[in-house]
């Protein structure tokens, strides 16, 4: 009975076939099993071991171009700053640079990574609610294109450091428009109670003040209301408020050249309907087309989310009176999203024979010693034997970057698929590396 009710709870889950239909870069071959762009994932699992992240370069390139095309089609002067936090792998940043994207960074570490990947500093925007003096010094000395300021207190820090360095800080004010992005509470950022941005009612006065500071040049406004946004209405509401602000600033004779629209565009983890880049671009155009501003977006998830899978092997299948537990060798320390946000990720077998078998409900877990280490409950999956490999889908955004070594589990290996070949882009961390840098007290 427990199994039957779990199945009912999840009756609207897409089937394995439905999941793959929306992800045409993943296909079954009867002999080789699940292929990513023609490369057998079983071969990668065999040679690299599991857990291993696998990324399709072709899908990533395609998404960069699709987003750029959608913006270009609006006729707006528009730029893309990839939100590095979503996936800061070297291979990913290198591809983004080759595709001509800039970067949105939120720490000195991300700034250094973007610069090391060859991103021109002028194409880097530095966001974040708490930039330390050392990080601001690094950003100003590197001459990043724009710093998005989140408070009056931060503006004062920037003004002081810029004058000490004898440089001019190009800043935008990140405005909190008090709009509910209608997404998970933990990733909503644009409501008045959230820590982000400058209160809407304070923005004009602070911009006016910024324009009086000798080493500060206010270039425009920024906003970012949240992540995994699955409707256009919240974007529309936020951008309308921002366009009102631009008009108010201009009425005072203040110059506003840039409107940074943030990230947040959602992806269909469960095949749910989500807006397209063209839909978002149309909303941006609707709000700003007659204001003569350069617009920019800062997407992370939309660009990288669907590009990767996390390969994991079945350690064992544990049957209790109530539940079939499939225990994987990947865990919450690798992919934290299900544990942190109850996020739903597709899970499909790599063997084509397994994928063709009848399904029944299972709870898919990792070996970590807490119950939050659960990837899925009541998920319709075929019987899977020991060592069967599964692919956890849409793991490219907020996957590897949020990994930890909890339970002394080393960071997973990473592989890259391109042009029908694959290679390792990150070795699996060694066990010894887990205590690198640790010292006994003297
Ligand atoms: N710009 C700013 C200022 C941001 O804070 C973020 C994400 C982005 C852009 C990119 O948003 P995206 O396009 O990726 O939605 N770890 C969470 C997501 C946290 C998002 C944080 N900020 C998750 O796994 O769902």
């Amino acid at each position: 009975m427990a199994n039957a009710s779990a199945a009912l709870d999840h009756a609207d889950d897409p089937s394995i076939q439905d999941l793959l239909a929306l992800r045409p870069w993943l296909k079954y071959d009867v002999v080789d099993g699940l292929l990513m762009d023609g490369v057998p994932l079983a071969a990668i699992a065999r040679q690299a071991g599991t857990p291993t992240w696998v990324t399709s370069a072709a899908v990533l390139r395609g998404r960069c171009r699709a987003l750029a095309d959608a913006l270009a089609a609006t006729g707006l002067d528009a730029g893309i700053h990839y939100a590095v936090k979503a996936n800061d792998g070297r291979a990913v940043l290198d591809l983004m640079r080759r595709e001509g994207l800039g970067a949105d960074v939120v720490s000195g570490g991300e700034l250094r990574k973007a610069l090391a990947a060859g991103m021109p500093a002028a194409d880097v925007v530095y966001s974040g609610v708490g930039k330390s003096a050392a990080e601001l010094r690094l950003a100003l000395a590197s001459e990043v294109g724009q710093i998005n300021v989140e408070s009056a207190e931060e503006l004062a820090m920037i003004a002081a450091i810029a004058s000490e360095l004898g440089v001019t800080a190009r800043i935008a004010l990140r405005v909190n428009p008090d709009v509910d992005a209608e997404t998970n509470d933990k990733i909503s950022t644009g409501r008045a109670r959230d820590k982000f941005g400058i209160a809407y009612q304070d923005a004009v006065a602070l911009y006016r003040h910024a324009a009086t500071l000798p080493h500060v040049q206010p270039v425009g406004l920024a906003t970012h209301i949240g992540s995994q946004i699955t409707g256009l209405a919240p974007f529309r509401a936020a951008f309308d408020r921002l366009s009102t602000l631009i008009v108010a600033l201009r009425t005072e004779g203040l110059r506003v050249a840039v409107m940074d629209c943030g990230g947040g565009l959602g992806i269909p983890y469960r095949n749910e309907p989500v807006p397209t880049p063209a839909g978002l671009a149309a909303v941006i155009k609707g709000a700003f087309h007659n204001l003569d501003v350069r617009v920019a977006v800062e997407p992370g998830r939309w660009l990288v989310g669907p590009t990767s899978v996390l390969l994991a092997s079945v350690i064992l299948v544990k049957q209790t009176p109530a539940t079939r537990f499939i225990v994987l060798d990947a865990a919450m320390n690798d992919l934290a999203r299900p544990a942190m946000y109850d996020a739903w990720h597709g899970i499909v077998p790599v063997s084509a024979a397994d994928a063709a078998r009848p399904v029944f409900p299972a709870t898919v877990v990792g070996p970590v010693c807490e119950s939050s280490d659960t990837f899925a409950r009541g998920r319709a999956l075929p019987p899977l034997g020991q060592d069967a490999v599964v692919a956890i889908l849409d793991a490219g955004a907020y996957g590897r970057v949020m990994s930890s070594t909890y339970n002394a589990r080393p960071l997973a290996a990473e592989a890259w698929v391109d042009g029908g070949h694959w290679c390792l882009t990150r070795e699996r961390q060694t066990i010894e590396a887990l205590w690198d840098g640790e010292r006994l007290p003297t």
Side-chain angles (χ1 to χ4, degrees):
M1 267 324 282
N3 276 352
S5 74
L8 280 181
D9 286 344
H10 297 273
D12 59 341
D13 279 356
S15 67
I16 294 169
Q17 291 70 26
D18 291 342
L19 287 167
L20 294 204
L22 265 199
R23 294 159 182 81
W25 52 95
L26 296 172
K27 280 198 177 68
Y28 283 107
D29 175 89
V30 275
V31 179
D32 290 333
L34 192 60
L35 311 177
M36 179 186 271
D37 296 332
V39 174
L41 290 171
I44 299 180
R46 203 165 43 241
Q47 289 176 51
T50 52
T52 292
W53 309 92
V54 188
T55 298
S56 160
V59 175
L60 186 51
R61 257 182 232 115
R63 297 184 79 82
C64 291
R65 291 174 194 175
L67 182 64
D69 289 349
L71 288 169
T74 63
L76 293 169
D77 178 14
I80 306 174
H81 299 117
Y82 164 60
V84 168
K85 65 172 79 70
N87 186 330
D88 63 11
R90 278 182 74 180
V92 169
L93 295 181
D94 181 65
L95 187 149
M96 296 296 192
R97 177 184 59 80
R98 288 170 195 271
E99 289 297 316
L101 274 62
D104 169 70
V105 302
V106 291
S107 68
E110 283 190 358
L111 172 56
R112 297 266 315 263
K113 279 192 158 182
L115 295 176
M119 296 253 184
D123 296 341
V124 176
V125 172
Y126 188 1
S127 307
V129 77
K131 312 174 189 77
S132 72
E135 289 175 315
L136 287 171
R137 230 171 250 123
L138 173 69
L140 288 169
S142 318
E143 300 188 53
V144 297
Q146 179 182 315
I147 300 179
N148 288 350
V149 175
E150 300 226 8
S151 61
E153 294 78 359
E154 181 180 66
L155 180 62
M157 281 172 79
I158 292 171
I161 295 169
S163 96
E164 165 200 316
L165 296 179
V167 298
T168 298
R170 282 173 304 278
I171 60 118
L173 294 193
R174 173 171 174 181
V175 176
N176 181 323
D178 194 17
V179 166
D180 189 337
E182 291 162 24
T183 182
N184 186 298
D185 181 60
K186 292 181 183 168
I187 54 176
S188 293
T189 54
R191 302 161 300 188
R193 67 183 168 91
D194 297 321
K195 69 178 174 177
F196 299 96
I198 290 151
Y200 188 78
Q201 58 272 26
D202 295 341
V204 171
L206 193 62
Y207 203 97
R208 194 188 300 127
H209 170 62
T212 67
L213 299 171
H215 288 271
V216 172
Q217 183 194 359
V219 296
L221 298 176
T223 197
H224 171 76
I225 57 172
S227 195
Q228 185 55 13
I229 300 172
T230 54
L232 287 173
F235 288 115
R236 206 172 281 122
F239 299 159
D240 282 352
R241 299 208 81 193
L242 269 291
S243 70
T244 304
L245 269 189
I246 295 176
V247 173
L249 292 167
R250 293 223 176 117
T251 308
E252 295 201 14
L254 295 161
R255 187 175 160 272
V256 183
V258 171
M259 179 61 228
D260 178 343
C261 300
L265 188 57
I267 59 168
Y269 286 99
R270 294 174 68 130
N271 287 11
E272 61 273 43
V274 293
T276 59
L280 178 63
V283 172
I284 293 174
K285 182 174 180 170
F288 303 114
H289 72 280
N290 55 10
L291 288 175
D292 188 28
V293 280
R294 175 170 170 74
V295 296
V297 289
E298 300 170 349
R301 187 191 315 267
W302 193 87
L303 288 171
V304 292
T307 67
S308 312
V309 299
L310 175 60
L311 294 180
S313 301
V314 174
I315 294 179
L316 54 84
V317 179
K318 166 175 171 170
Q319 185 67 57
T320 70
T323 309
R324 173 172 66 130
F325 287 102
I326 298 176
V327 186
L328 301 179
D329 65 355
M332 64 185 289
N333 74 295
D334 302 300
L335 178 65
R337 301 194 69 257
M340 277 188 79
Y341 317 110
D342 292 322
W344 196 100
H345 281 260
I347 301 174
V348 300
V350 163
S351 148
D354 283 348
R357 295 205 172 93
V359 295
F360 59 104
T363 292
V364 184
V365 301
V368 161
C369 297
E370 55 178 284
S371 294
S372 62
D373 186 24
T374 300
F375 288 119
R377 274 183 211 286
R379 187 67 62 86
L381 282 168
L384 292 171
Q386 211 167 19
D387 296 331
V389 178
V390 298
I392 305 179
L393 306 182
D394 308 315
Y398 308 107
R400 68 186 287 287
V401 284
M402 290 174 66
S403 296
S404 74
T405 58
Y406 186 34
N407 280 203
R409 293 170 47 85
L411 297 177
E414 294 175 25
W416 188 255
V417 170
D418 200 2
H421 300 282
W422 72 274
C423 62
L424 268 191
T425 46
R426 191 190 218 178
E427 304 277 345
R428 185 176 310 287
Q429 191 178 33
T430 63
I431 298 286
E432 294 74 21
L434 293 175
W435 55 83
D436 249 11
E438 286 197 54
R439 301 277 179 277
L440 288 175
T442 50

